[in-house]
Amino acid sequence: MTKRQEQALKTRQKILDAASELLLKNEFDELNIDDITNHCGVAKGTFYTYFKHKEDVVFEICRPMFARIEKDMQKMKNKDIVKRLTYYFDEFMKEVQRYGINMTRVWFKGVIDPNKAPENYDNKKWHYDFEMLKNILDLAVKNNELKKDTPTELLSHLIITQLYGMMTVWCMSDCEFEPKDWTKKFTDLQIRTILEKFIK
């Protein structure tokens, strides 16, 4: 990689970091591109070198954090399926909470009707999360942790419904509860129960 390419990556990351910091304190609709570029000390034109819309920044911030969780899951071969799913839930909601309710609302607003989502919205995130969960369960079947007839597709739908439900209620209640606390309650009470009849 050339120095110029390295500098371009640093500038791009600078913009992402600035947007992330601002979204922790501000409503998305109140945030404009000038705010972002002023915060990180780059020209407005520089923003458009890397991004077309401010929504692009939000989705660029969000996707890598979930990719990191997926990588971590692949290293957890010594943990049983209940512990791996508990970790997934905890880390997922920790990231959602860390980036804040404003960013979560922006994402929901754009994807609640995927057929009408603007082109720049990440309307495949639900499928991404569903597939990640299903892969976790399919691997557990392959490794003989779960029975061969485990309905991994059905279980993935049930589990992701709970996860997305928590995010939705968090937004609707205007932060009346801590998402990570509710995630812990769910994993303590229900994950083992959901999987119990399928665990070998």
Side-chain angles (χ1 to χ4, degrees), residues 48-88:
Y48 291 107
T49 300
Y50 303 101
F51 307 101
K52 289 183 180 177
H53 313 275
K54 66 177 182 175
E55 288 86 358
D56 296 341
V57 174
V58 171
F59 302 124
E60 188 73 20
I61 291 166
C62 293
R63 189 55 77 94
M65 65 190 183
F66 296 105
R68 191 265 308 162
I69 295 171
E70 186 173 19
K71 279 187 183 176
D72 288 350
M73 296 288 298
Q74 291 168 0
K75 298 174 189 171
M76 297 177 68
K77 295 178 181 173
N78 59 332
K79 304 281 185 187
D80 68 39
I81 184 60
V82 173
K83 286 181 182 167
R84 292 202 307 278
L85 282 175
T86 297
Y87 175 84
Y88 173 79

Side-chain angles (χ1 to χ4, degrees), residues 19-41:
S20 179
E21 286 173 28
L22 290 169
L23 279 167
L24 291 174
K25 305 168 193 169
N26 303 284
E27 294 288 337
F28 179 78
D29 290 340
E30 296 169 2
L31 184 66
N32 61 51
I33 291 167
D34 286 329
D35 295 328
I36 297 169
T37 54
N38 288 339
H39 192 73
C40 64

